[in-house]
Amino acid sequence: MTLLPEVSLPLLLIGVLVGVGFCVWRAAVARRQLVAWIRRGVLVLLVGAMLSHPGVPGGLVPTGSISAKVIIAIDTSQSMAAEDYGDGVRLDGVREDVKDVAYAFAGADISVMTFNSTANLNVPMTGDGSAVIEMVRALRPEIAQKSRGSSISAARDLLVQEVDKIHAADPGDPIIVIYMGDGEQTSADPVESFADIKGKVAGGFVLGYGTDQGGKMKQSTYTGLSDEYVQDPTNGQDAVSVIDEGNLQQIASETGLTYLHRDAATPLKPTLQGISGGGDAEISMEQMRESRLDLYWIFAFPIAALLAWEGLHIARLIRKSIPTREKQ
């Protein structure tokens, strides 16, 4: 077991010893509150243990995954609600694939941006893969009434900005880009080139979702997907969204990334394990090193229980003091 204390270890030890010593002294002089002071002493020990940030070896992980900076760009236009991804919609496939990316790059810094007619940075660079998974799990397509047409290059400027920012701050870290979309361009704006990031990234994928047959789309609302389908204004029938692999392959060519068509029957995980690329840095997913499994969170449960007990104790003392004050 190893310790990565949140504060200086000697300072933490002194603080714990002082706190426990005070509780022991109070327990000795105030025998009627013996249990309360024992409880408080245990609470001090648990908080000290939590702040020491203990951990154990967590198995081997790729060294490339730990040093990499991963940028995920997700298309959230209305067409990502098309019902042509297995038994679900395209965005369901995105959610599963993001989970695989987070696991494959455990320990890496990951950021997530979404785009439709505009682009937003939803999750800045973070080492918390679970936060990335939870955010993407809550994603939904752009509200149909607000849609002004989607552009497959809406994320271009933000993506270039993030890549340049990483290069300036951590020039030695490899950058992985994962672009996820259906390639459908409904905006009247011209498609912009992604060529500015070519050579600056170490690898990644352009992942395409959807089929040539296409699928109908339930309208996205403020409360989720409705029961009504998006209508084609030209004929009044249910609109059908079709993947445009030509656009996606063009983005892959401009960025130097690999294009991969996604379907519900094929997991992404095996492909991620073999990721490699050129650019300013190289990633070896074969070189392994020991990772660390944090254990500090375990102490949160007994700490919460003791705090609840302490709260009940204080509430009883307050309740007992009220009649006494009224008599006075």
Side-chain angles (χ1 to χ4, degrees), residues 287-302:
Q287 296 178 358
M288 311 293 282
R289 88 174 190 192
E290 192 75 43
S291 68
R292 188 173 188 272
L293 180 63
D294 289 325
L295 299 177
Y296 68 91
W297 57 271
I298 295 175
F299 298 102
F301 299 103

Side-chain angles (χ1 to χ4, degrees), residues 40-55:
R40 291 160 189 163
V42 173
L43 190 57
V44 170
L45 286 172
L46 288 172
V47 171
M50 188 176 189
L51 291 177
S52 70
H53 208 141

Side-chain angles (χ1 to χ4, degrees), residues 187-304:
S187 171
D189 297 332
V191 177
E192 296 182 80
S193 172
F194 285 80
D196 284 352
I197 70 169
K198 190 171 186 177
K200 297 180 181 179
V201 298
F205 292 97
V206 174
L207 303 179
Y209 300 82
T211 63
D212 292 332
Q213 294 74 32
K216 298 187 295 183
M217 304 157 283
K218 288 183 177 177
Q219 292 185 19
S220 180
T221 69
Y222 290 99
T223 57
L225 294 179
S226 71
D227 293 329
E228 298 181 1
Y229 285 95
V230 175
Q231 300 297 297
D232 186 336
T234 63
N235 56 25
Q237 302 297 313
D238 292 340
V240 174
S241 172
V242 177
I243 187 174
D244 191 328
E245 292 194 274
N247 280 340
L248 295 171
Q249 289 168 347
Q250 180 64 29
I251 293 174
S253 175
E254 292 169 353
T255 56
L257 305 179
T258 301
Y259 174 69
L260 181 65
H261 179 257
R262 299 292 300 121
D263 63 75
T266 308
L268 182 63
K269 186 177 180 180
T271 304
L272 292 171
Q273 291 174 343
I275 191 171
S276 63
D280 295 337
E282 294 184 356
I283 298 174
S284 172
M285 300 300 282
E286 296 178 355
Q287 296 178 358
M288 311 293 282
R289 88 174 190 192
E290 192 75 43
S291 68
R292 188 173 188 272
L293 180 63
D294 289 325
L295 299 177
Y296 68 91
W297 57 271
I298 295 175
F299 298 102
F301 299 103
I303 288 174

Side-chain angles (χ1 to χ4, degrees), residues 20-182:
V20 172
F22 178 77
C23 291
V24 170
W25 172 69
R26 290 299 300 164
V29 300
R31 291 301 183 90
R32 295 181 63 181
Q33 297 183 21
L34 178 63
V35 174
W37 284 107
I38 290 176
R39 178 176 64 246
R40 291 160 189 163
V42 173
L43 190 57
V44 170
L45 286 172
L46 288 172
V47 171
M50 188 176 189
L51 291 177
S52 70
H53 208 141
V56 295
L60 296 176
V61 296
T63 56
S65 75
I66 292 176
S67 63
K69 297 290 190 293
V70 183
I71 304 174
I72 303 174
I74 302 174
D75 182 353
T76 55
S77 58
Q78 174 68 68
S79 61
M80 292 301 285
E83 299 172 339
D84 61 350
Y85 194 85
D87 295 328
V89 301
R90 295 170 186 173
L91 205 53
D92 291 333
V94 168
R95 294 187 183 101
E96 288 301 313
D97 287 348
V98 167
K99 188 186 301 182
D100 283 345
V101 171
Y103 286 143
F105 290 94
D109 286 334
I110 304 176
S111 69
V112 179
M113 63 180 67
T114 58
F115 64 93
N116 34 70
S117 56
T118 59
N120 295 289
L121 184 63
N122 300 68
V123 180
M125 279 293 170
T126 176
D128 187 355
S130 62
V132 171
I133 293 172
E134 289 303 315
M135 191 287 298
V136 174
R137 184 177 295 168
L139 276 183
R140 61 187 180 193
E142 181 185 24
I143 305 301
Q145 291 85 348
K146 294 173 58 179
S147 178
R148 302 191 306 273
S150 61
S151 172
I152 60 172
S153 59
R156 184 260 179 203
D157 290 345
L158 184 57
L159 182 57
V160 171
Q161 175 184 315
E162 289 300 300
V163 169
D164 289 343
K165 186 188 300 182
I166 293 170
H167 266 288
D170 302 292
D173 289 351
I175 301 173
I176 302 296
V177 171
I178 311 289
Y179 178 103
M180 315 172 90
D182 57 23

